[in-house]
Amino acid sequence: MRLFIAICVCRVLYFIGRLIGKGTSKPGDIARIVCPNVLNRLKFSGKVICITGTNGKTTTSNMVTHILRENGFSVINNSFGSNMLGGITTSLLTNCTFSGEVKADFSVLEIDERWLRFFVKEVTPDYVLLTNLLRDQIVRNCCPEIVLEKIKLGVTPGTTYILNANDPVSQQVSWGIDNPVVWFALGENERSTKECRSGTNDAKVCPKCMHNLSYNYYHYNHVGDFHCENCGFKCPKADFIGTDMNFDEASLNINGKPVKLTFDATYFMFNAVAATALCCTASGISEEKALAAAETFDIGVIKRYEEIEVLGRRCQLILTKQNPASIDQSVDFVADKESPRTLIIISNNMFHTERKDVLFMYDVAYENLKEVEHIVIVGKRRYDMAVRLKLADIDKERVQICDKEEDLRSCLEKTEGNIYVMTSSVFSNEDKVLEELKKL
Amino acid sequence: MRKIKILNLYGEALDLNGDGKNISAFEKRVAEMGYEYETDTLGVGDDIDVSGYDIVFMTHGKPHNVSAISEHFIKYKDNIINNIENGKVFVVTGSTNMLFGKSFSMLDGKTYEGIGLFDCTAEEFDSLYVSDAVLVPEFAPEEKMFGTYYRCESVKFNTPNENRLFKVIKTDEGKGSVGEGEGCHYKNLYATWCLGPVLVRNPLMMKEVLHCVLGEDYRETDFSLEEKAVKMIIDELL
């Protein structure tokens, strides 16, 4: 009876929430009060897949959903909701019968890496895909190893893990467990580097023996082909590997079979290999069928790179996640654009807390902006950003500090070329700057 | 021309939250003053002898890495302590300070030995204390600095307020908070639980360390941008 009431309450609140534009966590949170361990009472007719990790969760889970649906499977997912317990509960309770049956071949659930251990107390997933573990929001996660420990607390017997062979941090989930593991990896390509180009590398030393870790190449941050000359720790042999990447055509081979994707970013190709590994393993479809479906998956790039017109010039808003790896990708995105370029960096206090620390600035490779012709800094922490850029050897003649949002026009009139605005949900009050920009 | 020898001790293992940029900033200042510098990074697998260096940096690290290097570090206890006693300049930031106390215990249930230079013990806990802070340095009691704490250790000093590097005049309360006095200034050792680019963002501290290393060879350089940035933060906080 409690399950029935919880499902009803959740659905009514979800319906009301949608009408008034509220989030999707609350209905699930309240349902959990009505019926604690509500997820444990659900009956899944199909397999449960959890997709977690620092970056790439949403894209990978959407791609997995797309591949499975294209191959005729019924899939429910939480693409519309939050990836914490409340949001996942809302997703499942609004997609089950009133008796609590989840009638889908697959439940594909994107889940916050810190919350997986709570979810598995109620539901044992058949598969867990871990995209990567990178340095994330320090306020919540401190360092990737702290998150790793939390994920390891959620290891459940019988679950198959799909792990990134190129990531020396997340692969530690496999240490000391008997669970089946499927490894995915991306091979060396024209964007691989011999030196780490990112602002952070969380695996400079071997996690087993603390001697220096050697890399044949890096994809980004600490993700690459690594080995330890002291103890032999190295990349495991991949079961699914992406090779022969052609970024101009957004194509690669996965286990020797060609696929042409809709987006050319390295991380997107990683996501495609991970999704293929998961779909083939979980559903038994052939690699060819998985790849044919992957070719029609659209990432929805426009959401990440929104465009407006400013002073008659093209202006792209670059929305980044709240971690240095994501900001590094935005830096590279601008650095790779045609000259001349103008970059506006919005630098504010942290979140709603108004904390003044901006440590993450020092975990981002702003050094890669040296060739960008014009940089305008705005926001409460603009002088801190200027200090960071000075340390990065950015020519001070290229940098303008805009003390008031209203002065943006005069600052921009001294610049040329396309405008890029680097903002992030790590900051607060970007909206004011964006409003000023839209007025120009 | 004078060449400044810098040691980044365990720099590969202890590299969290931009602490390594303190060394980059120090190198730049030395170069601006017209001196050459050479920086070595030593770690587990290397023999440690700090005597040939003008300054030794030990930056903030992940709790796992701090405990993992402790066995190696303790082997060089005599070399480290003797050099500090003889005036070697050390800058230690963040959780790495645990290596200089008597011992520290971690969430894995193990207790690790420190070199015992500080009369303190530390205990890791399962949450994170986060705070901005305004600090008054012991070496410039009329001035103020900005600090950031992210700690998952509670630290217990047996000798309260002895050799503290900072008086803390504004910070948040909570498990892991630093109290009224923080850090340690002993001879030429500057140790603080503040982490991140402490020297980059605090010209006061950078100048103090540069003076300590260079003595009469210290030359003035332009800190106006850094001074403006840190003043804005402190004004917002107070």
Side-chain angles (χ1 to χ4, degrees):
Chain A
M1 192 61 182
R2 290 183 84 157
L3 174 63
F4 176 75
I5 296 169
I7 292 170
C8 292
V9 167
C10 184
R11 288 185 179 191
V12 169
L13 292 176
Y14 174 68
F15 178 74
I16 296 169
R18 285 195 67 171
L19 286 179
I20 60 173
K22 289 287 182 187
T24 55
S25 290
K26 231 19 175 196
D29 287 333
I30 292 170
R32 300 180 62 77
I33 295 169
V34 174
C35 179
N37 299 326
V38 64
L39 298 181
N40 183 244
R41 300 184 184 211
L42 298 178
K43 298 181 199 76
F44 291 88
S45 60
K47 293 174 179 172
V48 177
I49 292 171
C50 291
I51 296 174
T52 191
T54 308
N55 286 345
K57 293 185 284 287
T58 305
T59 304
T60 306
S61 59
N62 287 342
M63 194 186 292
V64 166
T65 299
H66 176 81
I67 292 172
L68 291 172
R69 282 179 179 158
E70 286 292 299
N71 280 281
F73 296 104
S74 57
V75 182
I76 63 162
N77 69 4
N78 59 332
S79 62
F80 66 86
S82 93
N83 60 12
M84 296 185 200
L85 219 44
I88 289 169
T89 302
T90 304
S91 295
L92 290 172
L93 296 194
T94 51
N95 279 286
C96 67
T97 65
F98 281 101
S99 60
E101 274 186 83
V102 182
K103 289 184 174 175
D105 296 322
F106 292 95
S107 299
V108 177
L109 304 170
E110 175 195 335
I111 186 160
D112 183 280
E113 54 276 26
R114 297 167 308 131
W115 285 85
L116 180 65
R117 68 191 197 277
F118 301 118
F119 176 78
V120 301
K121 284 183 180 172
E122 298 178 43
V123 180
T124 300
D126 298 284
Y127 299 90
V128 170
L129 188 157
L130 179 51
T131 55
N132 48 52
L133 284 177
L134 303 165
R135 198 172 298 189
D136 203 351
Q137 305 160 55
I138 180 175
V139 179
R140 295 201 312 169
N141 296 331
C142 186
C143 61
E145 285 76 2
I146 298 283
V147 181
L148 171 71
E149 289 308 315
K150 290 177 175 166
I151 289 175
K152 287 173 84 164
L153 288 172
V155 169
T156 42
T159 301
T160 297
Y161 286 84
I162 318 289
L163 299 177
N164 187 337
N166 288 136
D167 180 358
V169 178
S170 64
Q171 75 152 265
Q172 294 172 50
V173 169
S174 69
W175 293 3
I177 63 173
D178 297 326
N179 301 54
V181 176
V182 175
W183 297 100
F184 65 91
L186 205 58
E188 189 170 14
N189 57 72
E190 64 185 79
R191 288 181 182 165
S192 307
T193 55
K194 295 296 176 193
E195 301 293 327
C196 181
R197 198 168 177 268
S198 311
T200 61
N201 174 357
D202 272 301
K204 287 181 180 171
V205 292
C206 171
K208 282 194 168 167
C209 72
M210 301 305 285
H211 284 67
N212 287 354
L213 204 56
S214 301
Y215 277 77
N216 294 320
Y217 56 85
Y218 292 88
H219 290 307
Y220 53 83
N221 298 84
H222 58 259
V223 177
D225 182 26
F226 57 86
H227 65 277
C228 174
E229 290 176 7
N230 183 59
C231 74
F233 173 65
K234 62 178 182 180
C235 279
K237 187 175 181 304
D239 301 293
F240 289 80
I241 184 163
T243 56
D244 305 303
M245 279 70 84
N246 181 330
F247 292 103
D248 291 335
E249 296 181 357
S251 67
L252 74 159
N253 289 343
I254 296 180
N255 282 0
K257 299 173 183 71
V259 58
K260 186 168 165 41
L261 303 171
T262 55
F263 191 47
D264 65 354
T266 304
Y267 67 82
F268 190 64
M269 294 193 177
F270 242 120
N271 296 338
V273 182
T276 304
L278 175 56
C279 291
C280 291
T281 306
S283 73
I285 59 171
S286 66
E287 290 165 3
E288 288 85 350
K289 283 187 171 178
L291 297 179
E295 288 196 340
T296 59
F297 173 70
D298 183 6
I299 189 178
V301 180
I302 197 71
K303 286 180 185 167
R304 186 174 157 94
Y305 301 107
E306 189 186 341
E307 276 193 29
I308 57 172
E309 190 176 287
V310 172
L311 297 176
R313 292 150 66 182
R314 187 178 172 204
C315 176
Q316 267 187 294
L317 312 178
I318 308 166
L319 304 173
T320 62
K321 281 191 69 185
Q322 304 168 13
N323 61 54
S326 178
I327 301 174
D328 266 333
Q329 285 173 3
S330 299
V331 164
D332 288 344
F333 178 81
V334 176
D336 289 343
K337 291 294 172 189
E338 277 182 25
S339 301
R341 295 146 291 185
T342 296
L343 171 64
I344 299 173
I345 302 179
I346 306 174
S347 185
N348 275 315
N349 290 335
M350 297 283 278
F351 308 118
H352 52 284
T353 64
E354 283 289 301
R355 287 198 190 286
K356 274 74 180 155
D357 78 79
V358 280
L359 298 181
F360 69 90
M361 281 182 191
Y362 291 84
D363 282 339
V364 175
Y366 289 108
E367 285 76 3
N368 294 335
L369 291 174
K370 275 182 195 155
E371 302 301 320
V372 173
E373 290 78 4
H374 308 280
I375 299 175
V376 177
I377 315 171
V378 63
K380 280 187 178 177
R381 296 277 67 83
R382 59 194 180 278
Y383 282 90
D384 295 274
M385 179 56 77
V387 169
R388 173 68 188 96
L389 295 183
K390 178 183 172 185
L391 187 63
D393 282 332
I394 306 293
D395 182 353
K396 67 179 179 186
E397 299 300 322
R398 296 180 179 216
V399 178
Q400 294 182 71
I401 302 173
C402 180
D403 284 326
K404 288 180 276 186
E405 285 85 1
E406 306 89 89
D407 295 340
L408 264 173
R409 172 184 277 270
S410 60
C411 288
L412 287 174
E413 282 173 348
K414 295 175 196 157
T415 68
E416 57 183 342
N418 287 341
I419 299 167
Y420 302 92
V421 185
M422 195 184 290
T423 178
S424 164
S425 46
V426 77
F427 303 122
S428 60
N429 55 324
E430 304 94 337
D431 289 352
K432 195 175 172 192
V433 179
L434 298 180
E435 281 307 309
E436 286 296 325
L437 273 174
K438 285 174 183 172
K439 284 186 215 162
L440 299 183
Chain B
M1 184 189 290
R2 185 171 174 186
K3 182 190 259 189
I4 305 300
K5 290 208 71 181
I6 303 164
L7 176 59
N8 184 6
L9 188 51
Y10 301 108
E12 306 286 22
L14 307 175
D15 179 29
L16 200 57
N17 310 128
D19 277 47
K21 291 292 192 289
N22 289 319
I23 301 166
S24 311
F26 182 85
E27 290 168 344
K28 282 179 190 292
R29 291 291 170 184
V30 166
E32 271 184 66
M33 291 177 191
Y35 305 115
E36 292 182 356
Y37 64 84
E38 182 180 311
T39 304
D40 292 336
T41 301
L42 297 179
V44 171
D46 294 315
D47 280 329
I48 308 284
D49 178 3
V50 300
S51 58
Y53 295 94
D54 294 292
I55 182 167
V56 181
F57 284 94
M58 289 186 73
T59 53
H60 173 61
K62 302 166 187 171
H64 167 76
N65 288 11
V66 173
S67 55
I69 64 170
S70 65
E71 188 182 344
H72 184 261
F73 184 65
I74 205 86
K75 286 196 287 190
Y76 301 95
K77 174 180 172 175
D78 291 344
N79 182 276
I80 303 284
I81 290 179
N82 288 342
N83 274 280
I84 290 170
E85 293 291 353
N86 289 325
K88 182 69 62 192
V89 183
F90 265 71
V91 176
V92 185
T93 48
S95 60
T96 301
N97 276 284
M98 293 193 295
L99 294 169
F100 288 77
K102 290 188 177 305
S103 66
F104 56 99
S105 47
M106 307 299 280
L107 286 173
D108 61 12
K110 294 179 187 160
T111 297
Y112 299 85
E113 196 181 343
I115 61 171
L117 189 70
F118 305 156
D119 188 13
C120 71
T121 56
E123 189 176 344
E124 188 184 18
F125 53 79
D126 189 20
S127 58
L128 190 62
Y129 167 75
V130 183
S131 180
D132 293 324
V134 179
L135 311 163
V136 174
E138 164 273 341
F139 52 81
E142 303 301 316
E143 306 285 351
K144 294 183 186 70
M145 282 179 42
F146 170 68
T148 300
Y149 297 104
Y150 282 82
R151 294 214 305 191
C152 43
E153 310 94 30
S154 55
V155 183
K156 186 182 170 195
F157 275 90
N158 299 315
T159 50
N161 299 323
E162 191 176 287
N163 298 325
R164 291 290 166 269
L165 180 59
F166 299 122
K167 182 181 174 190
V168 182
I169 60 170
K170 185 175 176 68
T171 190
D172 293 343
E173 293 300 315
K175 188 174 183 184
S177 67
V178 291
E180 292 176 4
E182 194 277 309
C184 185
H185 185 189
Y186 177 67
K187 298 204 170 177
N188 291 327
L189 165 77
Y190 297 84
T192 172
W193 250 274
C194 282
L195 48 81
V198 185
L199 270 62
V200 186
R201 302 170 67 188
N202 286 292
L204 267 180
M205 179 99 174
M206 177 64 95
K207 288 178 190 174
E208 170 72 10
V209 172
L210 283 164
H211 268 295
C212 201
V213 171
L214 292 163
E216 290 183 352
D217 290 335
Y218 179 87
R219 304 280 179 269
E220 290 301 330
T221 55
D222 181 12
F223 281 98
S224 55
L225 183 64
E226 291 83 355
E227 283 167 349
K228 187 161 189 174
V230 76
K231 183 176 184 307
M232 283 179 77
I233 292 188
I234 291 170
D235 288 349
E236 277 180 44
L237 279 168
L238 293 179

